[in-house]
Every structure is written in structure tokens, then in C-alpha cells.
Amino acid sequence: MSQIKADLICEIIRLSQTNLLDKKCANMSCETQEQVAVDWIRKNAADYRVDFQTRLNTYSASRLGEILRDLTESGKDLNDILKENGSVHRG
């Protein structure tokens, strides 16, 4: 895998996790948001990263760029983006 593609995948996953946590914590107090985020990261972040690294590795660098743009513009997470393209995250 090229370094550019690897960097794109890392940034996509980072942004997707950020968008997901923003949605999960949208209407919570700051203290609750922090606790929910820490709990989610502790319990789910590693599996989320590994699963999506494997799945995103099959995409071309140009498609990964499109996914990154979609995540940036929409505020959606990878589950939403890939569901729209017929590839749903299991878990």
C-alpha cells in the first residue's frame, strides 16, 4: 500500500470517529460528552480502526479522497457513507 493511501485511510478513520462521537454526544453536557467519548474510545476505537482499515484498503486512492471529502462536507461517519454505497459496517 502506498504511503498516500495509508495516510488517507488514517485520516478517513480519524474524521469518521470524530463525526460519530459528535453525533453521539450532540445534546449532552460537556462532562457527559467527555465521559461518553472516553468510554467509546476505550471499548470500540481499536476494533473500529482495524475493521475500516481492512475494508478501505480495497478502495483506490481517488475513491478514498472522495470518501474523505464526503466525511468532511457531510459530518457523517463511515457507517453512513458506506451504507449509501451498499457496504454496511457490521458492529
Side-chain angles (χ1 to χ4, degrees):
M1 174 176 11
S2 75
Q3 187 60 45
I4 292 172
K5 190 172 171 179
D7 290 346
L8 275 169
I9 290 172
C10 287
E11 182 60 16
I12 287 168
I13 292 169
R14 185 203 62 77
L15 182 56
S16 178
Q17 288 176 327
T18 299
N19 291 350
L20 179 68
L21 287 171
D22 284 349
K23 284 191 293 188
K24 282 184 171 293
C25 299
N27 297 316
M28 298 177 183
S29 69
C30 288
E31 189 174 297
T32 303
Q33 286 178 358
E34 186 175 314
Q35 188 58 51
V36 167
V38 168
D39 288 345
W40 187 89
I41 290 166
R42 191 172 344 123
K43 295 175 185 174
N44 301 301
D47 290 338
Y48 188 95
R49 184 176 53 253
V50 169
D51 181 47
F52 279 118
Q53 281 176 332
T54 301
R55 294 173 63 206
L56 291 171
N57 192 42
T58 64
Y59 290 99
S60 68
S62 63
R63 179 63 184 123
L64 292 171
E66 292 170 6
I67 291 170
L68 182 58
R69 184 192 68 233
D70 290 347
L71 289 168
T72 302
E73 292 175 355
S74 69
K76 294 179 180 179
D77 64 81
L78 278 168
N79 290 314
D80 297 333
I81 299 289
L82 296 180
K83 188 185 308 179
E84 291 170 1
N85 293 313
S87 176
V88 180
H89 174 61
R90 302 169 309 273

